[in-house]
Amino acid sequence: MRIGELGKSTGVDIETIRYYEKAGLLPKPERSSNGYRAYGSVHLERLSFIRHCRALDMPLADIKRLLEFVENPAADCGGIDELIGTQLSRVRARLKSMRALEQQLTALHGSCDTNHSASECGILHELVAAAQGETCACHRKAPNAMIPELSPAKRH
């Protein structure tokens, strides 16, 4: 199959497929007599594997290591477990960060309603205040809230 067919079969953009080839994640395909790349089932399966790993938000370096395990099935799987554990830690850290961001945006959203002009908008006032180095609503400590207090250098 040609690169367009491979892309359509896997949902991966053609440029991404070429990038994966250059990065060594996909083996170089054979070339047909007219010079076109000729992909086979090996490419389809490997690209599907990569796509699934990317859907799990795994970095390409980790995917490359996983592919090394695929190619060496006798290897101890402890490294695989470690890779997934590390990815799980990354996801948990991002979730914690996203929860804090949600709380900050909720606090900012609560500083305005929609029944007045932009010049009276509490959200804009808060954002302008933050730009001027003041503490904004989204970084004020609320009782029992987990909104991090940032130093002036780290504010918006």
Side-chain angles (χ1 to χ4, degrees):
M1 81 181 83
R2 291 176 46 187
I3 194 166
E5 296 168 298
L6 180 64
K8 190 177 275 190
S9 295
T10 58
V12 177
D13 184 70
I14 291 170
E15 291 304 315
T16 303
I17 294 171
R18 288 185 182 129
Y19 176 80
Y20 290 162
E21 286 177 25
K22 288 177 189 170
L25 294 167
L26 272 179
K28 297 283 183 195
E30 299 291 323
R31 296 276 182 165
S32 61
S33 59
N34 60 6
Y36 289 119
R37 292 175 174 97
Y39 296 91
S41 60
V42 170
H43 297 96
L44 180 64
E45 183 179 317
R46 190 150 181 156
L47 188 56
S48 295
F49 180 91
I50 294 166
R51 185 168 188 264
H52 185 82
C53 291
R54 291 298 294 147
L56 296 170
D57 206 28
M58 298 183 78
L60 292 179
D62 288 357
I63 296 170
K64 197 170 202 172
R65 287 198 52 216
L66 288 171
L67 287 168
E68 290 169 5
F69 283 105
V70 168
E71 292 170 0
N72 187 5
D76 180 65
C77 74
I80 299 168
D81 188 56
E82 182 181 325
L83 281 172
I84 298 304
T86 299
Q87 181 62 9
L88 184 57
S89 294
R90 284 187 205 115
V91 168
R92 286 178 175 152
R94 279 201 335 258
L95 285 170
K96 182 178 178 182
S97 175
M98 293 302 290
R99 282 190 291 273
L101 178 59
E102 178 186 28
Q103 290 174 346
Q104 291 169 344
L105 289 169
T106 299
L108 190 59
H109 188 256
S111 66
C112 187
D113 60 32
T114 58
N115 297 326
H116 45 74
S117 68
S119 66
E120 298 171 328
C121 177
I123 294 171
L124 285 180
H125 286 280
E126 293 293 338
L127 293 173
V128 168
Q132 295 171 347
E134 299 172 25
T135 301
C136 67
C138 60
H139 287 101
R140 283 188 201 115
K141 271 208 170 169
N144 300 322
M146 296 178 60
I147 300 171
E149 185 67 35
L150 298 179
S151 66
K154 291 184 181 177
R155 285 190 197 128
H156 305 278

